[in-house]
Amino acid sequence: MSAGQAVRSPKPSRAPKPRRAPRLHDAAGRTATERQLRVLCTATGPTGFVFGLLSLDTFRAQAWPAVPGLALAGWLLVFGVPVLIGILASWAPVRLLRALAVTEGVIFLVLLGFWLVVRAEPLPAGADIPWVISLTGIPAVAVAAATRDRIGWGYTVLVCTLSGILRAATSADPHPVLVGIEDSLYALLVISVFVGLTIMSRRGAVRVDDTARISRAALAVRAAGLARKRERLTIDALVHDSVISTLLMAGRGGIPTETLARHAASTLDRLDAIRVPRSTASLPGPEVARRLEQLTIELSPDALVHGELGEGLRVPAVAVTALLGAVGEALRNSVEAAGTGVVRTVTVQARSGGIGVVVHDDGVGFDPALVPGERLGIAQSIVGRMQRVSGGAATVQSRPGIGTEVEVSWTPEPHLPLRPSRPRRSTLSSPDAPTLPRWSSLSRPDSPTLPRWSTLSSPDAPPTPADAESIEELAPRTVVRLPRRLSLAILVMFIGVHALLAFGDHEPLFGLPWEIAGFVAVSAAAILISRSGDDRLPRTVTLAVVALSSAGAVLVSYPMTAVQGTPFGHWYLGAITLLLVVLAVRGREGLAWIGYLIMSAITIGWALRHGLTVVDGVLLVVRHAGTLLAGTLFAVGLKRSSIILAGLNRARALSGAAAATAVAAIEERESQLARVNVLCRPTLERLARSDEIHSEMRAECLRVEATLRDAMRARALFVEPLVAAARAARLRGVLVTLLDDSGDHPPVRVAEVAAAVADQLNALESGSLTARVLPTDRPTIASIVIEARDNRLLVITPDGVLREA
């Protein structure tokens, strides 16, 4: 099939399916949602254990004497299930953990119902708090973690209400209803904080899973696109260096037939060899130097080769291929542009653990700024080729009348697993000119400068962790914050509930000013926390909260006597503990426990001042340690889980990108090679077998060469009917130039553009036509310049309309 016949887009051969990555440990496949659940379950275990121990004495005092075995079973279940959940949290199936969490909620409701139905009677004064309601928060958080938001909130309201009713039924206080209301509201306040944090962390985990999935897909698409682009550029460089040069030599004449046959056979071998996966082997320095010398003798026998390489130097095969290709293109350009009678030197030397090659001639030189953008020799076959190799670099220095110097090099780059490698800037500079355009200004329009991903320099290589750093939100935020409305509602509830606890129990008037001052200090600390907009509380805010809380503890406890006649006389301890929990979950765990120690010291000091013992002071605050422990475990577990999840998400992203890269590279390679083979293989095979090249064969070589240039320089326009129209116009002697400046974003109406250009070509009998697809930021999508008997400039609008400019 000749190049002039209609060319259909070749179907890419089926790429082999990538091998499935080896299955990692079960933990590696966990999502953020699953990890969040396991963090909460892990925190449930020690929290349940601590509260179980703290309630042991109360349980023994309140055990139902009628059926002691049943009472013990209830105690073991309500405290044992959370401990079991904590033990199983790291490895048990998620369904089992959720089932156990719901079971804990059901058991707690059954026990509350038993107390309300069977034991709804006043308990002895001083021991009138049923042991069962001391654990209200654990089943509420467990249910919130395992079920939907509405179920979690509904269960919380239900158990807090039932707990308040039970407290009222068992209270020995003269005002049991008030005690029940206070207890219910206080429980709702404390538990709402934990349930709200649980729900928000779960929502955040869902968002993380969605974001990570989208980000992994985006990285895979980006890696695949980059692999396709690199594969196209690699094959374009091969076509330019071998195929087009061979066809041009045959078409222009002056080259012995034997030489042309050898070049054609070598080009066919290269086309076949590129199907084979790239070798990961390396070559010793002397062998690289020998190949460079052999290449120089073949392309420019009069050139002088200097330098040598030591045995210790090892150069990757992919880098050797790029060096040979770039040096070969530099020598061909020198021979073609500078001609004979020019001194050419090729200097080879070891450099920084790598290799550098300088090709110099003292010919006529050129101005790099005047090189048309569609020329591929310098931009892609020299600089672009080296740019696509990890550690590769190239510079081209030239000026009219001075000569040209091309320097290509390869230097092994250090492995930087957590930091992306920076692209090495390659420039086209002149020794006398202060500033000349970068090489990208000489690249073809659809080949912008590509970011160098250290291991994506070869399309078959996987991305590095540095490449995955661009994925945002790979792990949940290590600090969970409540929504503004919920935070405001809890703040209002905090102030209102503690106002009721502080001033609703008919306390003596002599201590009222102190209690008001303490209440104001604690409330100010709560307001200060809620007003801080940072995820992690600033240190100054944290210290202020600890200071205000400590002041509140001193102020409220100062006028208190050892014998309290109200059930919530030490309300400030619970209020301060709740503030410290918020400090812990907002990233200040250490300072939260320092605040707890200060509160404990103040309480012990108060106890000693009123003739009590240290143990009495400790017993007042020890129960609040369990609440703070729950918040701390939640914060620490979430932070640890987020770090692990970030690494796992990066690994998944890299694995997916590597698979996408491999598949895309193979598909693009097969597709491009199929098209190149359809266009030029028959002609190259005829050249390889020819003993004599006739004029018709020379003309055919030039037409095939022109078609190949269209395929590389005008990718968007290389479709029918334009391919056939360009072929026919060239047969009539029309000079056809097709260019594509749209890069990777061809216009939507590219079919209309191709049809319009084909119509104009079909109407031309002589002259020239230059069609160009314009960049996306232009008001028109394409231009057509016709130079014939009547010169015209036509443009195509975004809606596909052809008009005079």
Side-chain angles (χ1 to χ4, degrees):
M1 177 177 177
S2 67
Q5 294 174 302
V7 179
R8 295 182 180 179
S9 300
K11 290 182 67 175
S13 58
R14 184 180 298 273
K17 294 182 179 180
R19 292 184 299 174
R20 180 175 296 178
R23 188 172 183 83
L24 302 177
H25 188 269
D26 180 63
R30 292 174 183 170
T31 63
T33 304
E34 178 181 345
R35 286 186 169 276
Q36 182 263 0
L37 175 63
R38 293 184 184 275
V39 166
L40 292 171
C41 291
T42 302
T44 299
T47 304
F49 180 76
V50 169
F51 275 99
L53 292 179
L54 293 174
S55 68
L56 183 58
D57 286 340
T58 307
F59 165 74
R60 293 172 59 185
Q62 297 175 352
W64 195 29
V67 187
L70 183 61
L72 179 61
W75 183 84
L76 289 175
L77 281 175
V78 77
F79 290 109
V81 172
V83 174
L84 178 62
I85 292 174
I87 295 173
L88 301 178
S90 61
W91 56 272
V94 171
R95 289 185 178 181
L96 177 59
L97 295 176
R98 289 199 173 104
L100 289 174
V102 174
T103 300
E104 166 70 4
V106 173
I107 291 173
F108 187 74
L109 280 178
V110 171
L111 285 175
L112 283 179
F114 171 81
W115 274 83
L116 287 171
V117 173
V118 178
R119 303 195 63 186
E121 56 188 21
L123 294 173
D128 58 348
I129 303 177
W131 64 266
V132 67
I133 67 174
S134 64
L135 192 67
T136 307
I138 292 180
V141 172
V143 171
T147 60
R148 297 180 179 179
D149 297 356
R150 292 184 179 180
I151 296 177
W153 284 117
Y155 183 88
T156 298
V157 173
L158 175 62
V159 294
C160 289
T161 302
L162 294 178
S163 296
I165 295 173
L166 178 59
R167 179 68 192 281
T170 60
S171 176
D173 191 86
H175 307 282
V177 175
L178 178 61
V179 172
I181 293 174
E182 291 175 337
D183 191 279
S184 178
L185 291 176
Y186 179 74
L188 182 62
L189 168 65
V190 176
I191 297 173
S192 293
V193 173
F194 284 95
V195 170
L197 292 172
T198 298
I199 291 175
M200 291 313 301
S201 65
R202 187 178 64 205
R203 290 181 181 177
V206 172
R207 287 195 298 270
V208 166
D209 287 335
D210 294 340
T211 302
R213 183 170 55 254
I214 295 171
S215 299
R216 288 196 298 269
L219 181 61
V221 170
R222 181 183 175 191
L226 183 60
R228 292 181 187 279
K229 180 179 286 293
R230 291 185 183 280
E231 204 63 43
R232 288 199 303 267
L233 295 177
T234 299
I235 294 177
D236 283 353
L238 170 66
V239 171
H240 180 272
D241 297 349
S242 299
V243 180
I244 287 181
S245 61
T246 300
L247 294 173
L248 281 177
M249 287 190 295
R252 293 174 179 175
I255 305 296
T257 304
E258 307 83 48
T259 302
L260 289 175
R262 187 173 67 251
H263 275 284
S266 175
T267 299
L268 289 170
D269 291 340
R270 293 185 181 183
L271 287 175
D272 294 335
I274 203 171
R275 292 179 181 273
V276 181
R278 291 170 174 79
S279 172
T280 58
S282 59
L283 279 70
E287 175 62 19
V288 178
R290 188 189 66 79
R291 295 192 181 190
L292 287 168
E293 183 177 6
Q294 182 179 358
L295 175 69
T296 303
I297 293 173
E298 180 179 349
L299 297 178
S300 180
D302 58 341
L304 302 176
V305 182
H306 303 287
E308 60 182 16
L309 300 174
E311 287 285 350
L313 176 63
R314 306 290 298 186
V315 184
V318 64
V320 173
T321 301
L323 287 166
L324 291 173
V327 171
E329 179 65 17
L331 287 172
R332 278 190 291 269
N333 287 346
S334 177
V335 171
E336 181 178 352
T340 59
V342 173
V343 177
R344 295 184 184 86
T345 59
V346 178
T347 304
V348 183
Q349 58 185 353
R351 180 185 303 171
S352 302
I355 178 176
V357 183
V358 178
V359 180
H360 180 271
D361 70 50
D362 59 357
V364 296
F366 65 97
D367 184 353
L370 301 180
V371 178
E374 61 269 15
R375 294 292 299 274
L376 303 180
I378 295 176
Q380 292 303 325
S381 295
I382 298 178
V383 182
R385 173 181 271 116
M386 298 308 302
Q387 179 83 6
R388 292 189 293 272
V389 175
S390 179
T395 58
V396 180
Q397 300 181 13
S398 184
R399 196 169 183 180
I402 293 180
T404 302
E405 182 175 282
V406 177
E407 180 178 359
V408 296
S409 63
W410 171 82
T411 304
E413 291 188 337
H415 181 61
L416 300 176
L418 295 179
R419 184 175 301 173
S421 57
R422 294 188 177 185
R424 183 176 302 176
R425 183 177 298 177
S426 299
T427 57
L428 292 175
S429 59
S430 168
D432 300 327
T435 303
L436 282 176
R438 293 188 299 172
W439 77 267
S440 57
S441 64
L442 298 183
S443 63
R444 59 178 241 243
D446 62 341
S447 300
T449 305
L450 298 177
R452 179 184 298 168
W453 291 9
S454 56
T455 56
L456 279 184
S457 56
S458 172
D460 297 325
T464 63
D467 306 323
E469 291 295 331
S470 60
I471 301 181
E472 298 180 356
E473 297 186 42
L474 288 175
R477 294 157 67 177
T478 57
V479 176
V480 178
R481 294 189 60 190
L482 299 177
R484 185 64 180 172
R485 290 184 179 180
L486 180 58
S487 177
L488 183 61
I490 290 178
L491 175 62
V492 172
M493 187 187 302
F494 179 92
I495 296 175
V497 168
H498 287 103
L500 178 62
L501 298 180
F503 311 116
D505 292 330
H506 309 287
E507 296 186 2
L509 293 177
F510 73 90
L512 188 59
W514 296 93
E515 192 150 17
I516 291 175
F519 172 77
V520 171
V522 173
S523 300
I527 295 172
L528 191 60
I529 292 177
S530 66
R531 289 181 61 85
S532 177
D534 298 328
D535 284 344
R536 190 169 189 261
L537 279 177
R539 189 177 184 86
T540 54
V541 173
T542 306
L543 293 175
V545 169
V546 172
L548 287 171
S549 299
S550 302
V554 172
L555 291 170
V556 176
S557 63
Y558 179 75
M560 290 177 59
T561 61
V563 179
Q564 288 296 313
T566 58
F568 293 96
H570 293 282
W571 62 267
Y572 63 94
L573 296 178
I576 293 173
T577 301
L578 190 56
L579 295 176
L580 297 179
V581 167
V582 177
L583 294 185
V585 297
R586 299 225 8 215
R588 295 296 182 180
E589 302 94 335
L591 289 174
W593 280 99
I594 291 176
Y596 176 80
L597 293 177
I598 295 173
M599 181 183 73
S600 301
I602 294 171
T603 305
I604 294 172
W606 171 84
L608 294 175
R609 187 167 66 88
H610 289 83
L612 302 176
T613 66
V614 173
V615 175
D616 293 324
V618 171
L619 290 177
L620 286 172
V621 296
V622 68
R623 181 173 299 276
H624 300 289
T627 304
L628 182 56
L629 175 64
T632 303
L633 290 175
F634 175 84
V636 173
L638 184 63
K639 183 182 298 183
R640 180 176 178 273
S641 177
S642 68
I643 295 173
I644 296 174
L645 184 63
L648 292 176
N649 273 337
R650 281 195 292 270
R652 294 178 194 141
L654 295 173
S655 177
T661 296
V663 172
I666 293 173
E667 290 179 346
E668 187 67 21
R669 184 183 308 151
E670 293 295 329
S671 176
Q672 294 297 320
L673 286 176
R675 183 171 65 175
V676 171
N677 283 325
V678 167
L679 292 174
C680 68
R681 179 171 283 274
T683 304
L684 291 174
E685 289 176 345
R686 289 170 60 189
L687 283 175
R689 297 191 304 264
S690 296
D691 295 328
E692 183 178 359
I693 300 178
H694 302 287
S695 58
E696 292 182 1
M697 183 63 177
R698 297 186 188 280
E700 179 64 19
C701 288
L702 292 177
R703 286 191 289 269
V704 172
E705 182 270 339
T707 303
L708 284 173
R709 286 189 181 273
D710 291 343
M712 291 189 295
R713 298 189 305 189
R715 195 174 304 277
L717 295 178
F718 197 72
V719 293
E720 294 295 352
L722 184 52
V723 174
R727 164 73 176 181
R730 288 180 175 123
L731 286 173
R732 296 193 301 270
V734 178
L735 179 62
V736 181
T737 303
L738 303 179
L739 303 171
D740 180 7
D741 290 347
S742 65
D744 293 328
H745 305 283
V748 176
R749 298 184 176 274
V750 68
E752 286 91 330
V753 175
V757 176
D759 291 341
Q760 296 300 318
L761 282 174
N762 291 333
L764 276 181
E765 295 296 332
S766 62
S768 67
L769 180 145
T770 301
R772 184 186 300 268
V773 179
L774 300 174
T776 55
D777 58 349
R778 302 292 178 84
T780 55
I781 60 176
S783 65
I784 304 174
V785 178
I786 300 175
E787 296 181 359
R789 286 176 297 181
D790 54 336
N791 297 335
R792 288 180 296 158
L793 173 60
L794 306 175
V795 294
I796 301 176
T797 61
D799 55 0
V801 177
L802 179 68
R803 60 178 177 81
E804 294 277 351

